[in-house]
Amino acid sequence: MMNWPQEQCDKALGELRELYRDIEDKSGLEFSTPYQLLVATILSAQCTDVRVNKVTAELFGKADTPEAVIELGEDGLLEEIKSCGLAPSKAKNIIAASRLILSDYDGEVPDELEELVKLPGVGRKTANVVLSQAFGIPAIAVDTHVNRVAKRLGLADGSNVQKVEQELMQRIPRENWAKAHHWLIWHGRQICKARKPDCAGCPAAPYCRYAREQAEAESE
DNA sequence: AACTCGGGGCA
DNA sequence: TGCCCAGAGTT
């Protein structure tokens, strides 16, 4: 796979940042505690943000601490979150993670990547979201959308998430990492879609490797 | 790298 | 119906 000039990547990212300068956070991820954010983020896997918000609104009214959620029990929790995809396994993970938080972390959600990923149901993406949103620790979370966008721009080949994180963090100012996560996802959903990407409506297209390849393919 | 987990929304 | 979703864990 040929390398795509770094200069092009930087221009593309600049265009996207400008395009989404005023984007609002549609998911409303303003939870008051790290624990709430952790639970909400675990639930968000393979489940739309709208559904997660509906579920957490109900859930956190009844239980929003590790102790309370454990008290709810796996069945009780499942009943609350059943409308999220993969709910049974998530309920199990959230209970187990809550117990671990109480036993190993003095009841507080850990604020380090290596510790967060030890929690069941928490992978690299979720951990970075928690670090960034709950603790204000700069991090870029790479999900399927961000990964796809980065791959198409020519930033990385997409096979190594850590590489994508690295490339993005290198090119985006540290103070903008948390916001970049949002607008990269937003772009991946609205324009740089998996199926039919709307390159015609994308301001980064002139600097995008994927767009270039598509154009070349059509001209032949 | 491929595969499974899975309910609900939407075309 | 069929396709998709702001992933993680296992093989």
Side-chain angles (χ1 to χ4, degrees):
Chain A
M1 170 170 302
M2 61 173 271
N3 278 330
W4 187 247
Q6 173 176 336
E7 188 182 311
Q8 297 288 90
C9 293
D10 289 337
K11 285 183 179 176
L13 287 173
E15 291 291 337
L16 293 181
R17 182 165 51 170
E18 184 61 32
L19 177 61
Y20 300 111
R21 179 171 292 278
D22 297 319
I23 188 175
E24 55 184 292
D25 184 2
K26 305 291 278 190
S27 64
L29 282 174
E30 292 301 323
F31 294 104
S32 51
T33 67
Y35 181 73
Q36 288 185 351
L37 181 64
L38 176 67
V39 172
T41 310
I42 291 176
L43 291 177
S44 75
Q46 295 303 98
C47 178
T48 62
D49 47 354
V50 177
R51 256 187 293 161
V52 172
N53 282 337
K54 188 180 289 183
V55 163
T56 53
E58 289 276 331
L59 173 63
F60 294 154
K62 299 179 181 177
D64 67 344
T65 64
E67 295 88 343
V69 169
I70 290 171
E71 181 69 22
L72 214 51
E74 202 171 305
D75 292 338
L77 179 58
L78 178 57
E79 185 63 25
E80 293 292 329
I81 68 172
K82 63 185 176 186
S83 67
C84 287
L86 313 178
S89 62
K90 286 176 183 174
K92 187 169 186 162
N93 284 337
I94 290 171
I95 294 287
S98 300
R99 290 213 172 98
L100 206 54
I101 288 172
L102 287 180
S103 63
D104 291 9
Y105 299 101
D106 200 26
E108 301 292 332
V109 177
D111 61 354
E112 292 175 11
L113 184 63
E114 314 90 77
E115 303 303 320
L116 280 167
V117 296
K118 289 181 184 173
L119 300 175
V122 179
R124 210 179 168 80
K125 180 259 177 181
T126 301
N128 275 323
V129 169
V130 171
L131 284 180
S132 161
Q133 312 242 346
F135 296 111
I137 297 172
I140 290 186
V142 175
D143 61 19
T144 56
H145 293 296
V146 177
N147 195 40
R148 181 178 64 253
V149 171
K151 180 178 180 178
R152 283 180 177 162
L153 287 179
L155 223 57
D157 66 13
S159 61
N160 186 340
V161 170
Q162 296 192 38
K163 173 69 172 172
V164 176
E165 286 177 9
Q166 198 176 13
E167 291 292 332
L168 287 172
M169 292 190 293
Q170 196 174 346
R171 290 180 167 78
I172 297 173
R174 196 178 177 82
E175 62 271 21
N176 294 333
W177 285 356
K179 284 181 185 167
H181 168 64
H182 288 300
W183 56 251
L184 281 166
I185 288 175
W186 188 251
H187 183 63
R189 286 177 57 173
Q190 301 298 316
I191 295 181
C192 198
K193 297 177 289 187
R195 283 298 173 85
K196 294 180 179 176
D198 179 20
C199 296
C202 176
Y207 314 108
C208 175
R209 191 179 70 179
Y210 178 85
R212 171 73 60 86
E213 288 173 354
Q214 293 302 109
E216 287 177 358
E218 278 191 23
S219 68
E220 286 176 6

